[in-house]
Every structure is written in C-alpha cells, then in structure tokens.
Amino acid sequence: MRTVLADAFTDVLARHGDRVAVTDADGLLGYAELADRARAAADRLTRYNLGDEPLRVGLYATNSVEYVVAYLATLFAGAVPFLTDSAFGPFELSRITEDCGLDLLIHAPSADVRAVADETLTDDGEFGYLTVSRVRRHDAPRPRLLDDTEVCRFTSGSTGRPNCIEFSGAAVSAAAANWAKGTGLSAEDRIACFAALSNGLAFNTSLLAAFLPGAALHLSHGLPTASRVVRLLESTAATRLVAFPALYESIVRRSPKEGFAAVRTAISSGAPLRDAVREEFTRLTGVPVHNYYGVAETGPLTYAADGAGSGLGAPLPGVHLLAEEQGIRVKSESMGSRYLNAPGLFEKRVDAEGYYHTGDQGHLVDGTLHLTGRTSRLVNVGGRKIDPIEIADVLRTASGVLDAVAFEAENQHGEPTLAAVVAVEPGVTAQSLRTHCAATLPSFKVPGILRLVDRIPANSIGKPSIERLRRLLSDPETN
C-alpha cells in the first residue's frame, strides 16, 4: 500500500496546524491551510483517474507554494509523483513521459509541453497558477512500478534518457527523519531553500524533513542571484540557507554586508565547495557552511556538523559508509529501489552486501569523509551528473563537426563547468553548436565553454590528450 508518506504528512500537518508551513514571493500557507489545499487538489486528481492503477503524475515546475500543494495532493490521492527537473527540455520530457508511462503533468502554463500533452484539464483553482495536462498515450506498454514505490525522482542519465529512481515511502520518510535528527532541525528553524525541490539537496533537507518538527519552508522564484538570496533571508529571518556551491560563490563575489543576522547554518551540496569560498563566506557573513554529501540513488549520507573543516562530515543516522581503494560504497535507510526505465542498471551498482557503489573516490579521516575524485566518467556540474560521452556524441551530429571531446573544467570564477573541444570545418561557429545542443539537451548539458579547433590533440597512443585539451581552454581565442 502506498500510504507511508500520505500518513506522515497527514500527521505533521495536523500536529503543527497554526504554524507557518511554506511561503514564496506570492504568499504563505500555514500547516492547516496547506492540508486543506492539498486535500482539495487531491480530490480533483482522483477524478482524472480512468484506470485501476495509481495515477503517475509528473511535477514539472519551479519551486513555489503551489508546487508543494501539488506534491502533497498527489500523495493524498494515492498517486505517484514523478519529480521532474524543470531544466529538462522538450526532448528529455518526451523521453520521461514515454519511458515512465506518465498519466498527468502538472506544470507552469508557460512550460513547453506540446510534445507530450494531449489535453489541458479544467479545475477550480485547486492547483493555483499551475496547469494540469493529460499526457499523450504511447503504444508501448509502460513499465510496472514496484508495489511500495511512492515517489520517483530522476538522475541526469545518459543518451538523453534520465534514469527514473523509484523510492519507497519508507525510504523517503527515513531520509527526512535521519536528516532532521542528524542536523538538529527544530520547530524554530526557518529554511530558505534555493535548490529545486526535484533535486535531492532540497527534497531530502527541505520538504518532509522541514515539516516533521514544524519548521517553516521559504521558497524563491526565479534565478537565485545573491541579491535575491539576501532579500529572502532578510524578509523571512531565515535560520538555515540551503543552496548549491555556485550560489555561495556568487554571494562571496557580491560581498554582502547584511542579510545574514538570523542565519545560523548554511548547507551546501551537489558538488564540492572550495575551501577558499567556504572560508570567505563565513568571514563575510559570520555563518558556517556545513557540507553535505548525498547521492541521488541513496539519499543524504553525511553532514559536517561543525561547519569548520574541509571535509563532508560524518555519516548521518541510518547510513553505513565504506571508503575503500576501489571507491566509496554506501548502504542507507533512504536508498532507492531501482531505475524504473533502465532495468538491471541500478541492481548492478549494488553488491552482494547491499552496498551501493557511488562512483566517487575518497577517504575517512577521524570519521569525516573527504572526496578525492571519481571512479566513473561522469562529471559533476552544479550538482548534476553529466555523461561527457553523451555530450560529445550530440556535438558530432552537428553539421560541419569532425570530432568532439567533452570534459569538466573551471570557468572564470573557478567553478566547475562543462567544456568541449570540437574539431570543425570552416564556417562552423560556437553559437551554432550551442543552438544544436540546446535542441536536444537541457540547458545544464550545453557546454559552458566551447573551443573550436582544426583537429583534436592526441597523446602518443592516439587518444585525446586531456592535458592538452585543458591548455587549449586558456587560449585567449577560446570561444
């Protein structure tokens, strides 16, 4: 039965009824009001169910109060929410709806869903400004969900098909409870969250985890610039800041003089935060940055409670972590079950002892995890794992391209970004290649740095020389 999360939310919404639950730039809802809105929207969703199986509902929107209402409504309706990154473009959205057999899509009215939506459904405002569309049916049978699956989330995947991770309600509930316990989250906390709720950083730290003790969740619309962060922190007197490393880099460059008076904790994850940035942020604001390590497939794993060292902290409750020569293996109470649309792939990464092989390398020093690299080819840009082989393959399909290599590099601010060196015929421009990539890839997979060359530099055995490719990026003629 898919009731673990519905029961958990029913309990916390009733228990904290008069407190502020969630806010955005357009308004706020208390816990009791959130329960009423979500129940009304759930009643509407049940009317759209035309079959015996639970509805599969894609949530394809940016953070807002209405997003939280839609998420809870899906759970209360006995349906399964598929939390879809709003940065995914039409191409990947099409793959998701086909691979996962979605029934409905809840999305912003401006979202380009023409390739997947069959019709727009009417409602009485239960979903606020969000729109509900019925997804076009496909001829192929859809994969069967596990009986205990209550939430599905996505990794970046490869070949344009994001991997859909199935989570049981028990796993999602454990992730939230262990995070709240391991980080000391309390009813007095006010969380300013600048990571998308579809991403593990926000989903695990700022949704059910916030509601368990009765904390308030504050969401922001639009691009999370440093000035927008400061305004939200000031207007909400937030005690916790949740953001990706790039946002901390932006704040440090802006050198704010105010806005952080109430903040006690800043949380960073998704990619390593440079020590220099962490130290400068604390010097400017007086707020320690607590690193957090998690993997999409396993949930939150470690937390740096002191916020002073350069490591990623000690394992959270319910987590067993082994840092070995062959890489980091983890076993957690919040682990996903499998990939719905990639049979057998998840299972191959779990060994006979039940440990998931993360693909990261690192070591433990006095119980604190320190990452040193990757055992796999994936690169980490802004908290999203990207397969450079996929990017190179897409570039090679562009007119006038002879060869291409994609890899991780640093931009002008020292932040990780996706770079590509492309061998082209005369007349090909960087802009034309970016346009080509954007036609089939989401924006975060379009290379931030492009260097056009006559031929790809190779090493002595004929393979692309990454060292020479990186040197090319420092050329003043870089595109």
Side-chain angles (χ1 to χ4, degrees), residues 156-159 374 376-381 384-396 403-409 417-422 437 441 444-445 447 466 469-470:
S156 298
S158 60
T159 67
R374 291 281 300 170
S376 72
R377 71 193 185 201
L378 297 183
V379 299
N380 190 332
V381 178
R384 293 182 172 100
K385 305 296 193 301
I386 302 173
D387 186 344
I389 302 300
E390 175 195 4
I391 310 306
D393 286 345
V394 170
L395 284 165
R396 291 189 189 104
D403 200 1
V405 179
F407 51 95
E408 184 176 336
T417 191
L418 182 65
V421 175
V422 189
C437 288
L441 297 171
F444 65 84
K445 288 187 179 182
I466 297 298
L469 290 171
R470 292 190 186 281

Side-chain angles (χ1 to χ4, degrees), residues 29-367:
L29 289 177
Y31 278 85
E33 296 171 296
L34 178 57
D36 291 342
R37 284 283 315 278
R39 290 292 181 190
D43 289 342
R44 171 65 64 175
L45 282 180
T46 57
R47 303 179 202 177
Y48 298 143
N49 195 349
L50 301 179
D52 296 328
E53 292 185 16
L55 280 170
R56 303 184 187 190
V57 182
L59 271 62
Y60 182 59
T62 56
N63 287 1
S64 68
V65 167
E66 306 302 343
Y67 186 102
V68 177
V69 169
Y71 172 66
L72 296 185
T74 305
L75 296 174
F76 289 157
V80 178
F82 287 68
L83 307 189
T84 305
D85 193 332
S86 62
F88 287 157
F91 180 79
E92 289 195 322
L93 188 61
S94 296
R95 293 293 181 262
I96 287 169
T97 59
E98 180 179 359
D99 287 358
C100 302
L102 299 190
D103 298 300
L104 303 176
L105 200 64
I106 301 177
H107 58 90
S110 59
D112 185 0
V113 299
R114 292 171 295 177
V116 301
D118 194 36
E119 62 174 323
T120 299
L121 302 175
T122 59
D123 60 62
D124 294 320
E126 293 95 341
F127 299 92
Y129 75 91
L130 296 178
T131 298
V132 182
S133 295
R134 194 178 299 281
V135 174
R136 186 172 297 115
R137 289 288 186 181
H138 295 275
D139 294 334
R142 64 182 184 177
R144 180 182 174 83
L145 289 166
L146 295 173
D147 290 341
D148 62 354
T149 294
E150 294 193 31
V151 175
C152 289
R153 292 181 40 242
F154 295 89
T155 65
S156 298
S158 60
T159 67
R161 280 183 149 85
N163 293 330
C164 178
I165 313 168
E166 293 185 61
F167 288 95
S168 68
V172 174
S173 182
N178 290 335
W179 175 262
K181 178 181 178 181
T183 67
L185 189 60
S186 76
E188 304 310 312
D189 275 307
R190 297 173 294 277
I191 303 169
C193 179
F194 289 90
L197 291 171
S198 60
N199 183 278
L201 171 58
F203 181 76
N204 292 318
T205 71
S206 307
L207 198 48
L208 177 56
F211 294 164
L212 285 176
L217 175 59
H218 302 288
L219 304 173
S220 173
H221 288 314
L223 185 68
T225 61
S227 59
R228 182 165 286 163
V229 171
V230 170
R231 287 198 299 272
L232 184 64
L233 295 178
E234 288 181 329
S235 64
T236 63
T239 61
R240 284 197 178 197
L241 169 61
V242 176
F244 289 114
L247 189 54
Y248 292 103
E249 302 256 6
S250 175
I251 292 171
V252 165
R253 290 196 296 271
R254 185 177 181 272
S255 300
K257 300 298 186 294
E258 55 187 9
F260 292 83
V263 181
R264 299 194 304 267
T265 303
I267 296 168
S268 176
S269 186
L273 179 65
R274 293 184 296 155
D275 288 349
V277 174
R278 175 179 53 79
E279 293 166 1
E280 181 64 8
F281 176 87
T282 300
R283 187 190 71 79
L284 288 169
T285 66
V287 179
V289 179
H290 299 257
N291 286 323
Y292 142 57
Y293 172 62
V295 176
E297 291 84 352
T298 64
L301 299 172
T302 71
Y303 178 70
D306 59 10
S310 59
L312 296 175
L316 287 161
V319 173
H320 300 277
L321 186 148
L322 301 174
E324 303 166 321
E325 183 177 351
Q326 67 268 32
I328 295 172
R329 297 190 294 148
V330 297
K331 189 189 311 185
S332 71
E333 295 176 356
S334 53
M335 190 179 296
S337 305
R338 65 172 186 179
Y339 296 131
L340 174 65
N341 59 340
L345 181 58
F346 187 100
E347 292 84 346
K348 289 180 181 178
R349 297 174 181 172
V350 179
D351 60 29
E353 300 174 89
Y355 282 86
Y356 179 86
H357 292 247
T358 67
D360 290 319
Q361 289 180 315
H363 55 268
L364 291 167
V365 179
D366 297 328

